[in-house]
Amino acid sequence: DDSSDQPESELEDGMVVTLRGTVDSDGVTGTAEKVESEDELQGQVESVFPAADPAYLVVLSQNVYVDDLTYYGNVSDLSGLVNGDYVEVHGQRDANGNIRATRVEKLSGSPEIELKGVVSNLGATTFELWGLTVDFSSAVIEPSGATIAEGDLVEVEGTLSGDLVAIKV
């Protein structure tokens, strides 16, 4: 995620990956040329509900549901998380925009905030991702020369100060 030439040992159970490569003529085997791991979000835990059915936590105002198939890093389950912890979440969005977590990893320190989504309610210096306001007034937009448009799929990296203050989009 965001770095290249990493060893296979960096991959963990439950991470969502994208593979690029070739499939052999048998249609079953092949060769991976590139493996990319992409988390769905990275941020601070706002609430944890391990006894709910289904169990979930809230990160960046996003509901993150877990189940018996969810893998954990640096904790054994949701009971190892408290408000204020930083986590990286891998998974997929359901039809309601909630995240079905395949991996939840507790992070050390105060890492960067990351959130992916589709731009909505675009203004001159702000837009929304999953209901969270993003201030991109001083952000670096990549690739260089690109502009942000309503409906664009983006990844935002930044800090949380009420709104998500983007450093990079």
Side-chain angles (χ1 to χ4, degrees):
D1 188 19
D2 295 333
S3 57
S4 59
D5 299 323
Q6 296 295 310
E8 277 181 50
S9 60
E10 293 292 313
L11 293 174
E12 299 284 345
D13 288 336
M15 287 183 165
V16 174
V17 298
T18 302
L19 298 173
R20 291 189 191 142
T22 57
V23 178
D24 295 338
S25 60
D26 64 9
V28 177
T29 59
T31 303
E33 295 167 4
K34 186 173 187 175
V35 179
E36 292 180 311
S37 169
E38 284 289 335
D39 56 20
E40 186 63 27
L41 68 79
Q42 188 170 294
Q44 200 167 22
V45 174
E46 297 166 11
S47 304
V48 184
F49 301 97
D53 186 19
Y56 72 102
L57 66 156
V58 179
V59 181
L60 297 178
S61 301
Q62 309 300 300
N63 290 335
V64 178
Y65 290 93
V66 300
D67 58 29
D68 293 343
L69 299 176
T70 303
Y71 288 91
Y72 293 89
N74 302 320
V75 292
S76 59
D77 57 27
L78 283 190
S79 65
L81 297 173
V82 297
N83 294 358
D85 284 343
Y86 282 86
V87 294
E88 178 179 274
V89 176
H90 288 258
Q92 308 239 319
R93 298 272 179 172
D94 65 17
N96 297 317
N98 299 309
I99 300 169
R100 301 294 173 177
T102 54
R103 180 177 182 81
V104 175
E105 182 171 350
K106 181 178 177 182
L107 303 173
S108 59
S110 300
E112 199 168 70
I113 304 297
E114 295 179 7
L115 183 62
K116 295 173 184 64
V118 176
V119 172
S120 64
N121 298 317
L122 179 63
T125 60
T126 63
F127 59 84
E128 288 186 11
L129 282 185
W130 301 109
L132 189 63
T133 300
V134 177
D135 175 349
F136 68 97
S137 59
S138 59
V140 172
I141 310 298
E142 293 184 344
S144 180
T147 59
I148 298 171
E150 188 80 17
D152 282 353
L153 178 62
V154 297
E155 177 179 5
V156 175
E157 298 175 8
T159 60
L160 202 57
S161 180
D163 294 338
L164 177 52
V165 179
I167 296 168
K168 181 168 69 171
V169 179

